[in-house]
Amino acid sequence: MIVVMGIVITPAEVADFHEVLADHPRYWGERDLRSLHLLALVQEFGSMCLIARAEDGIRGYVFGFVTPDGTGYVHLIATRDDARGTGLGRSLYAAFAEAAMRHGAHKLKAITSVENTDSIAFHRSLGFDAKIVDDYNGPGRSMAVFHRDLPLNSSSSRSNCRHSHP
């Protein structure tokens, strides 16, 4: 458990997953990304799926896992509309990086759509290399692919990140 700004970051449970889906527009606006929210991630990689909870509910979350080659893969990261620009996205990434290192990760990876310029800027501010990979998500579906070594230096300058993935 990590406490930042009165927000507690803990491993996600199934009830948290359902709470996030019920409040989906507060995290993703008009983009319907519910199909990317996989309950199996919470059930199978629970210690790598983290939620940031305050008295008024879940303010943000990160869902990911560690691959066999030691990569901490961030599948989804989001902050609620009223928590953007507070540094919560950075805190979630730092908590994920710490958990990933405990599970043997030595690097991080994430992807986003090439149109998601906020996410690209956010990941670059965290020290990620960003490369556009053609056909990454199927024919004609280029993606921005991010890589960086661990540990993650969470003391970098704060960024106003609307949505981090995908």
PDB file of all heavy atoms in Angstrom, residues 62-79:
ATOM      1  N   VAL A  62      -4.041   1.557 -12.817  1.00  0.00           N
ATOM      2  CA  VAL A  62      -3.106   1.034 -13.811  1.00  0.00           C
ATOM      3  C   VAL A  62      -3.269  -0.481 -13.802  1.00  0.00           C
ATOM      4  O   VAL A  62      -3.291  -1.097 -12.738  1.00  0.00           O
ATOM      5  CB  VAL A  62      -1.649   1.475 -13.544  1.00  0.00           C
ATOM      6  CG1 VAL A  62      -1.171   1.079 -12.159  1.00  0.00           C
ATOM      7  CG2 VAL A  62      -0.706   0.948 -14.611  1.00  0.00           C
ATOM      8  N   PHE A  63      -3.453  -1.066 -14.976  1.00  0.00           N
ATOM      9  CA  PHE A  63      -3.551  -2.515 -15.130  1.00  0.00           C
ATOM     10  C   PHE A  63      -2.396  -2.972 -16.002  1.00  0.00           C
ATOM     11  O   PHE A  63      -2.186  -2.431 -17.096  1.00  0.00           O
ATOM     12  CB  PHE A  63      -4.862  -2.932 -15.817  1.00  0.00           C
ATOM     13  CG  PHE A  63      -6.111  -2.671 -15.025  1.00  0.00           C
ATOM     14  CD1 PHE A  63      -7.343  -2.733 -15.636  1.00  0.00           C
ATOM     15  CD2 PHE A  63      -6.073  -2.362 -13.669  1.00  0.00           C
ATOM     16  CE1 PHE A  63      -8.509  -2.510 -14.931  1.00  0.00           C
ATOM     17  CE2 PHE A  63      -7.241  -2.125 -12.938  1.00  0.00           C
ATOM     18  CZ  PHE A  63      -8.468  -2.207 -13.582  1.00  0.00           C
ATOM     19  N   GLY A  64      -1.658  -3.952 -15.548  1.00  0.00           N
ATOM     20  CA  GLY A  64      -0.538  -4.467 -16.317  1.00  0.00           C
ATOM     21  C   GLY A  64      -0.060  -5.789 -15.771  1.00  0.00           C
ATOM     22  O   GLY A  64      -0.715  -6.410 -14.930  1.00  0.00           O
ATOM     23  N   PHE A  65       1.109  -6.206 -16.226  1.00  0.00           N
ATOM     24  CA  PHE A  65       1.697  -7.469 -15.799  1.00  0.00           C
ATOM     25  C   PHE A  65       3.166  -7.462 -16.157  1.00  0.00           C
ATOM     26  O   PHE A  65       3.642  -6.573 -16.854  1.00  0.00           O
ATOM     27  CB  PHE A  65       0.987  -8.664 -16.446  1.00  0.00           C
ATOM     28  CG  PHE A  65       0.890  -8.595 -17.947  1.00  0.00           C
ATOM     29  CD1 PHE A  65       1.896  -9.115 -18.751  1.00  0.00           C
ATOM     30  CD2 PHE A  65      -0.203  -7.995 -18.556  1.00  0.00           C
ATOM     31  CE1 PHE A  65       1.819  -9.038 -20.141  1.00  0.00           C
ATOM     32  CE2 PHE A  65      -0.297  -7.923 -19.941  1.00  0.00           C
ATOM     33  CZ  PHE A  65       0.717  -8.445 -20.730  1.00  0.00           C
ATOM     34  N   VAL A  66       3.892  -8.466 -15.680  1.00  0.00           N
ATOM     35  CA  VAL A  66       5.300  -8.632 -16.012  1.00  0.00           C
ATOM     36  C   VAL A  66       5.422  -9.828 -16.942  1.00  0.00           C
ATOM     37  O   VAL A  66       4.909 -10.906 -16.647  1.00  0.00           O
ATOM     38  CB  VAL A  66       6.168  -8.838 -14.753  1.00  0.00           C
ATOM     39  CG1 VAL A  66       7.615  -9.131 -15.129  1.00  0.00           C
ATOM     40  CG2 VAL A  66       6.106  -7.599 -13.865  1.00  0.00           C
ATOM     41  N   THR A  67       6.090  -9.627 -18.071  1.00  0.00           N
ATOM     42  CA  THR A  67       6.278 -10.702 -19.049  1.00  0.00           C
ATOM     43  C   THR A  67       7.428 -11.615 -18.618  1.00  0.00           C
ATOM     44  O   THR A  67       8.256 -11.230 -17.793  1.00  0.00           O
ATOM     45  CB  THR A  67       6.588 -10.124 -20.446  1.00  0.00           C
ATOM     46  OG1 THR A  67       7.861  -9.477 -20.389  1.00  0.00           O
ATOM     47  CG2 THR A  67       5.515  -9.144 -20.895  1.00  0.00           C
ATOM     48  N   PRO A  68       7.500 -12.814 -19.199  1.00  0.00           N
ATOM     49  CA  PRO A  68       8.591 -13.736 -18.840  1.00  0.00           C
ATOM     50  C   PRO A  68       9.990 -13.171 -19.086  1.00  0.00           C
ATOM     51  O   PRO A  68      10.941 -13.573 -18.416  1.00  0.00           O
ATOM     52  CB  PRO A  68       8.331 -14.956 -19.722  1.00  0.00           C
ATOM     53  CG  PRO A  68       6.857 -14.931 -19.975  1.00  0.00           C
ATOM     54  CD  PRO A  68       6.514 -13.464 -20.072  1.00  0.00           C
ATOM     55  N   ASP A  69      10.138 -12.221 -20.012  1.00  0.00           N
ATOM     56  CA  ASP A  69      11.469 -11.659 -20.278  1.00  0.00           C
ATOM     57  C   ASP A  69      11.806 -10.468 -19.366  1.00  0.00           C
ATOM     58  O   ASP A  69      12.807  -9.780 -19.566  1.00  0.00           O
ATOM     59  CB  ASP A  69      11.626 -11.273 -21.746  1.00  0.00           C
ATOM     60  CG  ASP A  69      10.867 -10.001 -22.131  1.00  0.00           C
ATOM     61  OD1 ASP A  69      10.026  -9.523 -21.340  1.00  0.00           O
ATOM     62  OD2 ASP A  69      11.115  -9.486 -23.230  1.00  0.00           O
ATOM     63  N   GLY A  70      10.964 -10.204 -18.349  1.00  0.00           N
ATOM     64  CA  GLY A  70      11.263  -9.145 -17.393  1.00  0.00           C
ATOM     65  C   GLY A  70      10.808  -7.763 -17.808  1.00  0.00           C
ATOM     66  O   GLY A  70      11.402  -6.770 -17.398  1.00  0.00           O
ATOM     67  N   THR A  71       9.739  -7.688 -18.590  1.00  0.00           N
ATOM     68  CA  THR A  71       9.173  -6.410 -19.001  1.00  0.00           C
ATOM     69  C   THR A  71       7.889  -6.146 -18.231  1.00  0.00           C
ATOM     70  O   THR A  71       6.975  -6.962 -18.248  1.00  0.00           O
ATOM     71  CB  THR A  71       8.857  -6.393 -20.512  1.00  0.00           C
ATOM     72  OG1 THR A  71      10.061  -6.622 -21.237  1.00  0.00           O
ATOM     73  CG2 THR A  71       8.242  -5.074 -20.939  1.00  0.00           C
ATOM     74  N   GLY A  72       7.822  -5.006 -17.559  1.00  0.00           N
ATOM     75  CA  GLY A  72       6.580  -4.574 -16.928  1.00  0.00           C
ATOM     76  C   GLY A  72       5.738  -3.883 -17.991  1.00  0.00           C
ATOM     77  O   GLY A  72       6.069  -2.784 -18.427  1.00  0.00           O
ATOM     78  N   TYR A  73       4.686  -4.554 -18.423  1.00  0.00           N
ATOM     79  CA  TYR A  73       3.834  -4.027 -19.494  1.00  0.00           C
ATOM     80  C   TYR A  73       2.613  -3.336 -18.895  1.00  0.00           C
ATOM     81  O   TYR A  73       1.843  -3.939 -18.149  1.00  0.00           O
ATOM     82  CB  TYR A  73       3.384  -5.151 -20.428  1.00  0.00           C
ATOM     83  CG  TYR A  73       2.418  -4.674 -21.473  1.00  0.00           C
ATOM     84  CD1 TYR A  73       2.861  -3.910 -22.554  1.00  0.00           C
ATOM     85  CD2 TYR A  73       1.059  -4.941 -21.368  1.00  0.00           C
ATOM     86  CE1 TYR A  73       1.970  -3.438 -23.506  1.00  0.00           C
ATOM     87  CE2 TYR A  73       0.163  -4.478 -22.324  1.00  0.00           C
ATOM     88  CZ  TYR A  73       0.621  -3.729 -23.381  1.00  0.00           C
ATOM     89  OH  TYR A  73      -0.262  -3.256 -24.312  1.00  0.00           O
ATOM     90  N   VAL A  74       2.459  -2.056 -19.215  1.00  0.00           N
ATOM     91  CA  VAL A  74       1.303  -1.286 -18.767  1.00  0.00           C
ATOM     92  C   VAL A  74       0.232  -1.380 -19.852  1.00  0.00           C
ATOM     93  O   VAL A  74       0.386  -0.836 -20.945  1.00  0.00           O
ATOM     94  CB  VAL A  74       1.682   0.183 -18.488  1.00  0.00           C
ATOM     95  CG1 VAL A  74       0.443   1.009 -18.156  1.00  0.00           C
ATOM     96  CG2 VAL A  74       2.683   0.251 -17.354  1.00  0.00           C
ATOM     97  N   HIS A  75      -0.844  -2.089 -19.527  1.00  0.00           N
ATOM     98  CA  HIS A  75      -1.939  -2.277 -20.484  1.00  0.00           C
ATOM     99  C   HIS A  75      -2.867  -1.066 -20.497  1.00  0.00           C
ATOM    100  O   HIS A  75      -3.256  -0.591 -21.558  1.00  0.00           O
ATOM    101  CB  HIS A  75      -2.706  -3.557 -20.131  1.00  0.00           C
ATOM    102  CG  HIS A  75      -3.842  -3.853 -21.029  1.00  0.00           C
ATOM    103  ND1 HIS A  75      -3.661  -4.155 -22.361  1.00  0.00           N
ATOM    104  CD2 HIS A  75      -5.180  -3.877 -20.801  1.00  0.00           C
ATOM    105  CE1 HIS A  75      -4.849  -4.364 -22.919  1.00  0.00           C
ATOM    106  NE2 HIS A  75      -5.781  -4.196 -22.004  1.00  0.00           N
ATOM    107  N   LEU A  76      -3.227  -0.570 -19.322  1.00  0.00           N
ATOM    108  CA  LEU A  76      -4.090   0.605 -19.210  1.00  0.00           C
ATOM    109  C   LEU A  76      -3.643   1.439 -18.019  1.00  0.00           C
ATOM    110  O   LEU A  76      -3.288   0.887 -16.973  1.00  0.00           O
ATOM    111  CB  LEU A  76      -5.549   0.207 -18.959  1.00  0.00           C
ATOM    112  CG  LEU A  76      -6.323  -0.462 -20.073  1.00  0.00           C
ATOM    113  CD1 LEU A  76      -7.617  -1.054 -19.520  1.00  0.00           C
ATOM    114  CD2 LEU A  76      -6.641   0.535 -21.173  1.00  0.00           C
ATOM    115  N   ILE A  77      -3.680   2.732 -18.175  1.00  0.00           N
ATOM    116  CA  ILE A  77      -3.508   3.644 -17.041  1.00  0.00           C
ATOM    117  C   ILE A  77      -4.421   4.832 -17.288  1.00  0.00           C
ATOM    118  O   ILE A  77      -4.495   5.339 -18.406  1.00  0.00           O
ATOM    119  CB  ILE A  77      -2.039   4.076 -16.833  1.00  0.00           C
ATOM    120  CG1 ILE A  77      -1.918   4.961 -15.583  1.00  0.00           C
ATOM    121  CG2 ILE A  77      -1.451   4.708 -18.063  1.00  0.00           C
ATOM    122  CD1 ILE A  77      -0.500   5.226 -15.132  1.00  0.00           C
ATOM    123  N   ALA A  78      -5.144   5.227 -16.261  1.00  0.00           N
ATOM    124  CA  ALA A  78      -6.099   6.323 -16.425  1.00  0.00           C
ATOM    125  C   ALA A  78      -6.272   7.046 -15.101  1.00  0.00           C
ATOM    126  O   ALA A  78      -6.171   6.443 -14.026  1.00  0.00           O
ATOM    127  CB  ALA A  78      -7.445   5.795 -16.902  1.00  0.00           C
ATOM    128  N   THR A  79      -6.555   8.336 -15.187  1.00  0.00           N
ATOM    129  CA  THR A  79      -6.925   9.112 -14.014  1.00  0.00           C
ATOM    130  C   THR A  79      -8.313   9.689 -14.252  1.00  0.00           C
ATOM    131  O   THR A  79      -8.689  10.018 -15.383  1.00  0.00           O
ATOM    132  CB  THR A  79      -5.927  10.250 -13.739  1.00  0.00           C
ATOM    133  OG1 THR A  79      -5.784  11.057 -14.900  1.00  0.00           O
ATOM    134  CG2 THR A  79      -4.572   9.693 -13.328  1.00  0.00           C
TER     135      THR A  79
END
